[in-house]
Amino acid sequence: MTPETITILKEKYKDDPMAWDREYLCKSIPNKQLQVTPEFAPHHIIEQLPPSTDLFHKPIKFDVYIGVDTGLTDNTAIVAGYWHYSLQQFIVCYEYTCKRPTIPEIAQHVKNAQEAMKYFQFSPVHIHTTIDCFEIVGNTLRVEYGLVFHRPKKRAIPDTISVLRQFLKNNKILIHHGCISLIHELGNALWEDKPNENAKYRDWE
């Protein structure tokens, strides 16, 4: 490719330099038109958690939420955080991912997340745990492992993603920098095609 050709191509992409970097410099830059959460930005990532004590140095407690997407045939992900009433923001501070875990392993990882989040909770009643799983798996987790949780209400994927995008757009979510997998997905996950009611998205990898 001649320098003249490069100049012509760069001029073609002058209004979209990220596309130039992606298509011709082979940089790992997601296509914004297919990005699942284009609102996600570096300012959503925090190095330290917000203060959890009041003016009198008494600990502030929060409503804790744990979300689990089980994958007996693919990946399982656990994400946990809490709603900070003073800041009016949801703080994500815990994640765990693994491939094809067994039911006992899923149960143990959920209990690990619950134990890790005890520092932030008002009381055991205020740990809201949601597990997306098959009914038979849910029954096993409840009966054999004593987990208390509810299953999510299913909605169309674009509708669910839309709620997340609104939270990001309005800066209602902060994510601790240690949640590496979540940060990667929010920054790089792409729709397979134009979003619709049956849309699916694929990992950047």
Side-chain angles (χ1 to χ4, degrees), residues 3-60:
E4 291 77 12
T5 302
I6 293 175
T7 301
I8 293 172
L9 290 172
K10 288 188 70 172
E11 179 67 20
K12 179 181 177 181
Y13 284 91
K14 66 179 181 179
D15 295 328
D16 191 359
M18 292 181 66
W20 165 260
D21 288 347
R22 182 181 64 250
E23 300 298 333
Y24 287 94
L25 301 184
C26 299
K27 293 185 179 180
S28 297
I29 298 175
N31 185 337
K32 286 290 184 181
Q33 294 180 340
L34 293 177
Q35 197 169 3
V36 176
T37 51
E39 295 79 8
F40 180 68
H43 70 262
H44 292 111
I45 304 171
I46 56 176
E47 295 292 322
Q48 296 181 337
L49 297 177
S52 57
T53 57
D54 60 19
L55 295 176
F56 302 99
H57 304 291
K58 292 183 178 180
I60 303 173

Side-chain angles (χ1 to χ4, degrees), residues 27-189:
K27 293 185 179 180
S28 297
I29 298 175
N31 185 337
K32 286 290 184 181
Q33 294 180 340
L34 293 177
Q35 197 169 3
V36 176
T37 51
E39 295 79 8
F40 180 68
H43 70 262
H44 292 111
I45 304 171
I46 56 176
E47 295 292 322
Q48 296 181 337
L49 297 177
S52 57
T53 57
D54 60 19
L55 295 176
F56 302 99
H57 304 291
K58 292 183 178 180
I60 303 173
K61 300 301 180 181
F62 311 96
D63 277 345
V64 172
Y65 296 84
I66 298 175
V68 185
D69 183 12
T70 61
L72 295 178
T73 59
D74 51 20
N75 296 333
T76 286
I78 300 175
V79 175
Y82 57 92
W83 180 256
H84 197 298
Y85 290 97
S86 298
L87 298 178
Q88 287 295 291
Q89 291 175 309
F90 189 75
I91 314 298
V92 181
C93 58
Y94 178 96
E95 74 165 16
Y96 180 83
T97 59
C98 60
K99 291 185 177 181
R100 299 183 180 179
T102 63
I103 294 179
E105 289 172 337
I106 292 173
Q108 186 58 55
H109 294 318
V110 173
K111 290 180 179 180
N112 291 345
Q114 292 174 337
E115 186 66 28
M117 296 302 295
K118 278 185 178 180
Y119 173 79
F120 302 103
Q121 73 187 53
F122 280 117
S123 68
V125 176
H126 289 271
I127 284 191
H128 308 278
T129 303
T130 302
I131 302 180
D132 188 2
C133 61
F134 293 113
E135 186 173 356
I136 189 171
V137 175
N139 290 338
T140 303
L141 292 173
R142 288 189 178 98
V143 175
E144 295 188 20
Y145 298 95
L147 291 178
V148 178
F149 64 92
H150 63 270
R151 295 171 67 190
K153 295 180 179 179
K154 293 288 188 177
R155 296 191 295 179
I157 291 177
D159 292 342
T160 303
I161 296 295
S162 178
V163 174
L164 173 60
R165 292 181 63 181
Q166 285 298 319
F167 266 69
L168 290 169
K169 181 178 179 180
N170 294 299
N171 201 33
K172 291 296 183 181
I173 296 180
L174 297 177
I175 303 168
H176 188 266
H177 69 97
C179 299
I180 298 173
S181 296
L182 177 61
I183 291 170
H184 174 81
E185 289 297 320
L186 289 174
N188 297 296

